[in-house]
Amino acid sequence: MNIDSIKNGIVIDHITAGKAMEIYRLLGLDALDCSVALIKNVASRKTGKKDIIKIDSDFDVDTDILGYIDPFVTVNVIKDGKIAEKKTIELPSELTNVLKCKNPRCITSVEQELPHIFKLTDRENRIYRCIYCETRAK
Amino acid sequence: MRSVIDISELTTGEIDELIATANDIIANPERYSEKCRGKKLATLFFEPSTRTRLSFEAAMYELGGNVLGFSEAQSSSASKGESVADTARVVSCYADIIAMRHPKEGAPLVAARNASIPVINAGDGGHSHPTQTLADLLTIYREKGGFENLTVGFCGDLKFGRTVHSLISALIRYKGVKFVLISPAELKLPGYVKDKLDKAGIEYRETDSLENSIADLDILYMTRVQKERFFNEEDYLRLKDTYILTPEKMALAGAGLRVLHPLPRVNEISVAVDSDSRACYFKQVLYGKYMRMALILKLLGVK
Ligand SMILES: [Zn+2]
């Protein structure tokens, strides 16, 4: 894979430097068969340094997860070597099974099969709380 | 299907409507004695709380309905490992409404997300207990005729007391309410609750002296100062008497003061205060039943 030119795939650009590995893990990119390039500390005019992830397939990126980890990224969908779509990322209002509630008094601590759901309760300060016990996500 | 898990889910209009219904029940109990004929309330108590369970059961009986359920996890399917979600689905086939108490926070919400009938949270660990707050609100309303411009004192454990946090978040909706927060430094109201007060532009002050502030109050909401909240025995012994309500302290208060307590009390209100006409904590229990009646009617859509 030539990391500069993807024919059909996804480029996640403007990742805050150092966050690419976390995104790689939470998006489940390790499970993909196609080539995936993770490029760290690329020079950026805007922020000095950034990370980039290139995925050589039309993988369906979970923009909620991206929005939670790093709302400043851009997602470009590449088709026939050209940018076919730019996805804007927003802070998701709800996250399911991305964060785990760590409150030992929470019902999720005793019922393993329950989905761990967090709601955005304060957009300005990016605060998420468990829907069951209202414990704040760290 | 509408459930009530936390007091914050009720709008001010809905709270006012519940209070109006409760007042009407008190004035005309005979009009309500058949309202829930043929309906069943399931009381699912995964931990014992006799007081709350009896209040729900009495409420349903006074509406002409019936009650089924269990009063502790050992006598339920939970002891065989059934999930809260499955219990809620199964009970939906037998009853028309559920009142659930559970030691784990959020369990009633899990039930509400899986039941096909309304669920009322009857207390989930230290998290929420909305019908207690409704009882507190009706007591204040009946005794004071409303909520606006009241000075409400909270005394004791303001850090862990969920009834305190919940009542505060209900009262900040009303105009001109002021708070006096009376506690030892170790048990002050948490920052995130004070943030709510600041955001709502509510006037409040913190003090460690009940004696010096009781004269300013319209309402005194007492809570228990538990020994296990302190790092050492000396601090507890030094502080506990400061937060015990006695006839001597009542003598410093105005004639309009009303004393509330979510009960059970241990020793934070001396029994000598019980005969004082300003003590309202037993009336509060009665009002709790009327508010549960009003809530059951609302959630069942009975007019
Ligand atoms: Zn939780």
Side-chain angles (χ1 to χ4, degrees):
Chain A
M1 175 188 185
N2 180 346
I3 55 171
D4 289 328
S5 59
I6 290 183
K7 270 255 148 57
N8 292 296
I10 306 287
V11 177
I12 307 171
D13 201 355
H14 302 110
I15 300 170
T16 305
K19 285 201 169 174
M21 266 321 283
E22 194 185 354
I23 290 174
Y24 180 88
R25 191 172 50 81
L26 279 165
L27 287 181
L29 300 183
D30 52 342
L32 290 179
D33 276 336
C34 65
S35 344
V36 175
L38 191 154
I39 312 159
K40 279 177 56 178
N41 299 327
V42 180
S44 155
R45 257 172 296 159
K46 261 197 255 170
T47 54
K49 266 197 255 173
K50 65 176 181 180
D51 292 358
I52 303 173
I53 294 176
K54 297 188 179 190
I55 306 163
D56 204 10
S57 79
D58 55 354
F59 176 72
D60 189 16
V61 174
D62 186 332
T63 49
D64 281 355
I65 293 181
L66 277 181
Y68 172 69
I69 305 169
D70 195 350
F72 306 109
V73 302
T74 54
V75 176
N76 298 323
V77 181
I78 313 287
K79 286 213 169 101
D80 299 323
K82 289 186 185 124
I83 296 179
E85 191 191 345
K86 265 187 190 285
K87 284 189 186 173
T88 49
I89 301 299
E90 263 182 26
L91 219 49
S93 56
E94 198 171 286
L95 288 167
T96 301
N97 291 330
V98 176
L99 304 166
K100 271 204 162 289
C101 182
K102 295 193 180 97
N103 174 8
R105 298 177 308 278
C106 180
I107 185 68
T108 56
S109 71
V110 288
E111 295 206 347
Q112 265 71 34
E113 73 290 354
L114 279 175
H116 285 237
I117 305 173
F118 281 75
K119 267 209 161 89
L120 182 64
T121 56
D122 182 343
R123 188 169 286 276
E124 207 179 309
N125 298 306
R126 295 177 63 188
I127 293 170
Y128 285 86
R129 288 186 187 274
C130 171
I131 63 160
Y132 306 106
C133 68
E134 296 179 75
T135 295
R136 189 177 161 172
K138 294 265 157 54
Chain B
M1 189 52 65
R2 177 77 192 274
S3 292
V4 172
I5 304 304
D6 192 87
I7 194 75
S8 62
E9 293 162 16
L10 292 168
T11 65
T12 309
E14 286 173 324
I15 289 178
D16 294 346
E17 181 196 314
L18 288 169
I19 288 173
T21 306
N23 279 325
D24 196 53
I25 295 170
I26 294 167
N28 308 289
E30 70 291 343
R31 276 194 216 156
Y32 290 86
S33 62
E34 296 287 328
K35 289 273 188 198
C36 288
R37 176 69 59 212
K39 305 270 188 200
K40 282 167 280 176
L41 164 76
T43 50
L44 311 183
F45 277 54
F46 291 85
E47 69 177 357
S49 172
T50 309
R51 186 186 327 272
T52 305
R53 188 170 52 85
L54 293 184
S55 179
F56 272 105
E57 295 188 357
M60 194 56 172
Y61 284 128
E62 285 192 31
L63 292 167
N66 288 299
V67 176
L68 59 155
F70 52 84
S71 55
E72 55 184 329
Q74 282 70 34
S75 58
S76 79
S77 48
S79 62
K80 300 193 193 92
E82 184 175 67
S83 68
V84 169
D86 282 0
T87 303
R89 289 186 193 112
V90 168
V91 172
S92 296
C93 303
Y94 300 137
D96 300 285
I97 186 166
I98 291 172
M100 178 185 280
R101 176 126 180 159
H102 199 287
K104 290 290 177 184
E105 299 174 10
L109 178 65
V110 173
R113 289 168 71 94
N114 291 281
S116 56
I117 58 176
V119 176
I120 301 172
N121 182 0
D124 58 340
H127 178 229
S128 261
H129 194 3
T131 57
Q132 176 65 52
T133 307
L134 291 174
D136 300 341
L137 289 170
L138 182 62
T139 309
I140 296 173
Y141 187 92
R142 297 281 299 182
E143 294 296 322
K144 289 290 173 184
F147 305 107
E148 291 187 4
N149 303 314
L150 291 178
T151 300
V152 183
F154 289 93
C155 176
D157 179 355
L158 309 189
K159 187 175 180 183
F160 299 100
R162 66 174 172 191
T163 53
V164 171
H165 305 166
S166 179
L167 183 54
I168 284 178
S169 70
L171 285 173
I172 58 175
R173 306 158 177 223
Y174 296 93
K175 243 198 285 175
V177 173
K178 281 185 235 151
F179 295 119
V180 181
L181 308 170
I182 309 152
S183 75
E186 293 88 337
L187 296 175
K188 276 187 174 178
L189 197 70
Y192 72 90
V193 186
K194 281 191 243 172
D195 288 346
K196 276 192 206 170
L197 297 181
D198 291 332
K199 239 186 189 160
I202 300 284
E203 203 182 301
Y204 68 91
R205 67 185 169 86
E206 296 183 284
T207 171
D208 59 5
S209 170
L210 175 56
E211 224 156 18
N212 295 339
S213 45
I214 195 166
D216 307 330
L217 306 177
D218 298 308
I219 299 289
L220 171 60
Y221 197 93
M222 293 294 297
T223 64
R224 185 147 57 103
V225 174
Q226 284 170 282
K227 200 173 176 175
E228 52 272 26
R229 303 294 190 207
F230 288 89
F231 293 119
N232 59 61
E233 183 104 14
E234 295 96 85
D235 281 350
Y236 171 72
L237 292 173
R238 176 172 54 82
L239 287 162
K240 74 170 174 62
D241 289 345
T242 323
Y243 304 99
I244 292 178
L245 189 61
T246 57
E248 291 71 40
K249 289 189 186 108
M250 285 300 281
L252 304 169
L257 177 76
R258 292 295 178 271
V259 180
L260 278 69
H261 187 297
L263 302 183
R265 114 181 109 173
V266 178
N267 61 348
E268 58 278 10
I269 300 178
S270 125
V271 290
V273 175
D274 295 358
S275 55
D276 191 309
S277 61
R278 295 169 291 179
C280 292
Y281 29 92
F282 292 111
K283 277 193 220 170
Q284 206 176 338
V285 175
L286 184 63
Y287 292 145
K289 182 189 69 181
Y290 291 124
M291 276 308 241
R292 289 178 179 105
M293 289 170 79
L295 186 60
I296 290 169
L297 287 172
K298 180 183 169 60
L299 296 182
L300 286 178
V302 176
K303 289 273 177 277

